Amino acid sequence: MKGLWIDMLSGGGLLLVSLRKAGVDRFFINSGTEYSGLLLDYMHLSPSQRPEMVVCLSETTAVAAAYGYSLMNENASAVMVHTVPGVASALPNLFNAYTAGIPIILISGVTSYSSRGRRGSRQIRVHWGQDVRDIRGLVRQFVKWDYVVNEAAEIPEAVSRAVEVAMSPPQGPVYLGIHREHFMANLEKMVDQRPPIVSQPPSPNPSSVKKIAERLASSNYPVILTRSAGRNAKSFHLLKSLAEMLCARVNYAVADYVNFPNTSIFSAPADLRRADCIVALESDVPWLPAEEWPMDVFRVSVGTEPLNTRMNVWGFGFDEAVYAETSQFLESLLHQFESGSVKVGKDLLEERRAVAENDWRRWRRDLEEALRQDESRGLLTKRLASHILGEALPQNFIIVNEYSLRPDYLLFDEPGTYFGEPPGGSLGWGLGAALGIKLAKPEVFVSVVLGDGSFVFNNPVSGAVLSKWYRLPVLLTVFNDGCWWDVKKSLADMGFSEFGKKVEGVDFPEPLDVYSMGRGMGFSSYVAEKPRQAAEALREAVADVLKGVTALVDLRVRADS
């Protein structure tokens, strides 16, 4: 326990010091009237005593940027917002973080409880209007832990607790509320703060690992599938070694992350109806029951939440559920084969490899044929736009994708180069996340792909300002199809098949002029409707970003592609 001498520091200043001592190096803020003490103390504390401030013009951008920053960081990020209105505006991306397991500490003011007599008592009309019965109830469904401190001196312990809960597997966001009185209180005493302690999941049971290894060894058509294992680079490399050793198929090579190189012959989508052994790693939705339902198959779910207990209804059955960190499990599994404890027959391996290579060549050939047809007809489809973007990007790149990009039409062979939309699917995440990634990794070329609808949800003015203020040049590509395409596809469930027909409430009354919006926000802007125009526009936009200018490319793509 280390003491810290507080010399007339406010509760807000104490929060800054406590966050820094707990390992938080940056916080993203959209402030309100409760933050006055914190803002004054920020000016007087040295950079070594407090985290760096990142000012955001909207809560949407603040939480998304913290999400992206946390992806690149080894600790939780902090977001500070105004009381009830700020919390409510933060919820969509907080929900995204919750479903994706991203450690974010959401901190808000809580409306003053006193009308007079205290520093921080109510002073203006909104201090009454923003009083709610239960601010914790507003956020509780989207966090692992929520708490409102009882006094300013409690802030250090609350921060340590927030960090350790957010960082302990399965990771996720937490909420900390602080009344205006406690933010503005003056403190003149020694304050102790313990370091956060992060728990780890247990090592996988050796007998379970051996049983799974034996099943994989005897299977004719084993499939390993994962949505999110690639978030950990170590898991990516271990999975690559395992799949190549066993000649096993890997589904969802590129999903929420790059989980497995899609340049490998084992990355061709496997037919789960043929599988006789399935191992699901960090997969909230391992397959779509409406499309394929593997029956009478040995099935294993592995992860820090292998049964996804946060979901009310899940509906997936497994023979084994292994509670373990994926890299630990993969290491244990590899050891079974490398040590010779479990062996796979040479003939079986050759058969698996032959089937995988044949399927992969057919899959890649079909993808390439689709591109050739689009090019020959001069159609700027989403798949062709994805391929053209991939061709234009420099080698050292990261792509953030909010729905529109088709990752199969690009090649990914390294972890940490692709981040797909969160499982929650709340629009307004991609641009802020890309900026947060760029803030953490300024040396990397960052590209973000949005649809025209999600472009608006992202509050692009706020994103543009964040990019300019903090010199965060990114490439923003908008696949502009003039509709809510996922909604239009869902009409097929009602028997609708005329996708070329305009549907009110799904197709926009007129296309969005994203190009002009980009120019108005100060972006270097381009627009393209044909494949050749798209290639030229993206080349020029990439050159702009490399010079330090954020560029926007408005690609007028076909909706039905």
Side-chain angles (χ1 to χ4, degrees):
M1 301 281 283
K2 293 184 177 180
L4 174 71
W5 182 255
I6 305 297
D7 182 14
M8 290 301 290
L9 203 64
S10 73
L14 180 60
L15 174 64
L16 292 174
V17 172
S18 301
L19 286 169
R20 190 71 182 91
K21 286 171 65 68
V24 177
D25 63 351
R26 276 193 170 99
F27 67 99
F28 300 81
I29 186 169
N30 184 273
S31 62
T33 57
E34 58 270 60
Y35 286 103
S36 55
L38 180 147
L39 298 172
L40 291 173
D41 286 339
Y42 183 87
M43 293 191 294
H44 298 114
L45 290 168
S46 71
S48 64
Q49 292 177 303
R50 42 83 171 157
E52 183 179 342
M53 181 190 301
V54 181
V55 178
C56 300
L57 288 185
S58 77
E59 295 86 358
T60 298
T61 300
V63 181
Y67 184 124
Y69 191 77
S70 290
L71 287 172
M72 301 288 111
N73 206 0
E74 294 184 355
N75 207 339
S77 297
V79 176
M80 297 185 193
V81 300
H82 189 36
T83 183
V84 178
V87 172
S89 294
L91 290 185
N93 277 326
L94 193 73
F95 174 58
N96 281 334
Y98 179 63
T99 60
I102 306 300
I104 293 174
I105 305 168
L106 179 67
I107 300 168
S108 88
V110 180
T111 304
S112 307
Y113 54 81
S114 59
S115 297
R116 62 173 181 264
R118 295 176 180 269
R119 185 187 294 270
S121 293
R122 299 180 181 186
Q123 292 180 321
I124 55 178
R125 184 183 182 188
V126 295
H127 291 159
W128 280 264
Q130 292 172 350
D131 192 10
V132 296
R133 290 187 293 275
D134 183 11
I135 193 168
R136 295 168 66 186
L138 180 65
V139 74
R140 184 165 292 143
Q141 292 193 75
F142 313 113
V143 293
K144 292 178 61 181
W145 171 90
D146 59 89
Y147 189 65
V148 173
V149 300
N150 297 294
E151 59 177 341
E154 192 184 12
I155 288 173
E157 170 59 26
V159 167
S160 290
R161 184 60 174 164
V163 170
E164 63 191 11
V165 174
M167 291 298 295
S168 292
Q171 294 181 345
V174 297
Y175 168 73
L176 179 61
I178 303 175
H179 281 282
R180 190 166 182 263
E181 289 91 340
H182 304 329
F183 258 121
M184 298 177 68
N186 284 333
L187 296 103
E188 301 181 48
K189 64 178 182 178
M190 188 72 74
V191 177
D192 291 325
Q193 181 176 2
R194 62 179 180 84
I197 303 170
V198 178
S199 65
Q200 298 296 326
S203 298
N205 184 290
S207 62
S208 293
V209 174
K210 185 170 185 179
K211 178 181 178 182
I212 295 165
E214 290 171 343
R215 289 283 191 155
L216 285 168
S218 61
S219 172
N220 291 314
Y221 195 97
V223 178
I224 303 170
L225 57 83
T226 176
R227 297 286 189 177
S228 303
R231 178 175 168 187
N232 181 328
K234 185 178 181 181
S235 295
F236 170 95
H237 294 295
L238 290 168
L239 179 56
K240 183 174 182 288
S241 297
L242 181 68
E244 290 173 349
M245 178 184 294
L246 301 182
C247 297
R249 305 291 283 275
V250 178
N251 270 17
Y252 314 127
V254 183
D256 296 350
Y257 307 92
V258 181
N259 301 310
F260 184 76
N262 68 354
T263 54
S264 167
I265 63 170
F266 302 112
S267 67
D271 183 354
L272 295 188
R273 293 167 297 186
R274 295 173 58 191
D276 49 3
C277 179
I278 296 174
V279 177
L281 308 173
E282 292 292 354
S283 295
D284 59 336
V285 181
W287 55 80
L288 299 178
E291 297 177 7
E292 49 189 358
W293 185 260
M295 303 296 290
D296 301 321
V297 177
F298 181 72
R299 293 172 291 198
V300 181
S301 180
V302 181
T304 54
E305 183 67 290
L307 296 181
N308 289 281
T309 55
R310 72 169 181 82
M311 299 181 181
N312 294 324
V313 176
W314 195 39
F316 298 95
F318 287 90
D319 299 286
E320 296 270 346
V322 180
Y323 173 52
E325 204 280 322
T326 300
S327 64
Q328 282 188 314
F329 171 79
L330 290 172
E331 281 183 330
S332 299
L333 196 57
L334 272 166
H335 179 71
Q336 293 291 323
F337 297 104
E338 291 172 341
S339 67
S341 178
V342 178
K343 298 179 180 179
V344 187
K346 182 179 179 181
D347 291 344
L348 184 55
L349 288 175
E350 289 178 353
E351 181 181 340
R352 290 178 183 175
R353 174 177 288 276
V355 172
E357 187 167 6
N358 184 58
D359 288 351
W360 188 82
R361 292 188 186 282
R362 183 187 306 115
W363 176 54
R364 298 308 304 183
R365 188 167 56 246
D366 290 345
L367 294 176
E368 290 166 5
E369 178 59 27
L371 292 179
R372 280 195 293 268
Q373 290 183 12
D374 293 343
E375 288 175 330
S376 66
R377 294 183 291 170
L379 301 177
L380 186 57
T381 61
K382 293 175 185 175
R383 56 180 169 248
L384 183 53
S386 299
H387 171 73
I388 294 171
L389 173 60
E391 292 289 299
L393 291 174
Q395 287 187 336
N396 185 27
F397 73 85
I398 289 175
I399 290 184
V400 176
N401 178 26
E402 190 162 7
Y403 286 112
S404 300
L405 187 79
R406 304 291 187 262
D408 286 347
Y409 291 90
L410 292 83
L411 298 179
F412 296 95
D413 55 15
E414 292 293 334
T417 54
Y418 173 91
F419 298 96
E421 69 274 4
S426 184
L427 293 180
W429 159 83
L431 179 54
L435 293 169
I437 289 171
K438 184 67 177 177
L439 185 65
K441 297 285 185 180
E443 74 280 5
V444 175
F445 187 100
V446 179
S447 173
V448 54
V449 178
L450 307 175
D452 44 346
S454 59
F455 171 75
V456 176
F457 270 84
N458 269 270
N459 199 334
V461 171
S462 176
V465 170
L466 184 62
S467 172
K468 181 178 180 180
W469 283 350
Y470 294 92
R471 296 177 176 82
L472 304 172
V474 298
L475 172 62
L476 171 56
T477 305
V478 178
F479 284 20
N480 189 346
D481 63 7
C483 70
W484 301 114
W485 178 239
D486 280 351
V487 179
K488 197 163 188 175
K489 284 191 297 183
S490 74
L491 299 180
D493 296 337
M494 303 295 293
F496 181 82
S497 59
E498 302 176 71
F499 289 103
K501 183 177 181 179
K502 193 165 186 176
V503 179
E504 190 172 359
V506 178
D507 292 282
F508 301 159
E510 60 183 54
L512 299 183
D513 186 358
V514 175
Y515 162 75
S516 294
M517 295 179 192
R519 290 190 64 188
M521 290 183 288
F523 295 143
S524 171
S525 293
Y526 301 87
V527 62
E529 297 182 356
K530 297 294 181 181
R532 287 186 180 179
Q533 294 173 341
E536 182 179 350
L538 284 166
R539 281 196 299 269
E540 293 185 20
V542 166
D544 290 340
V545 176
L546 291 173
K547 294 174 184 175
V549 178
T550 289
L552 178 147
V553 182
D554 179 1
L555 296 182
R556 308 291 173 85
V557 298
R558 288 177 60 92
D560 56 342
S561 62

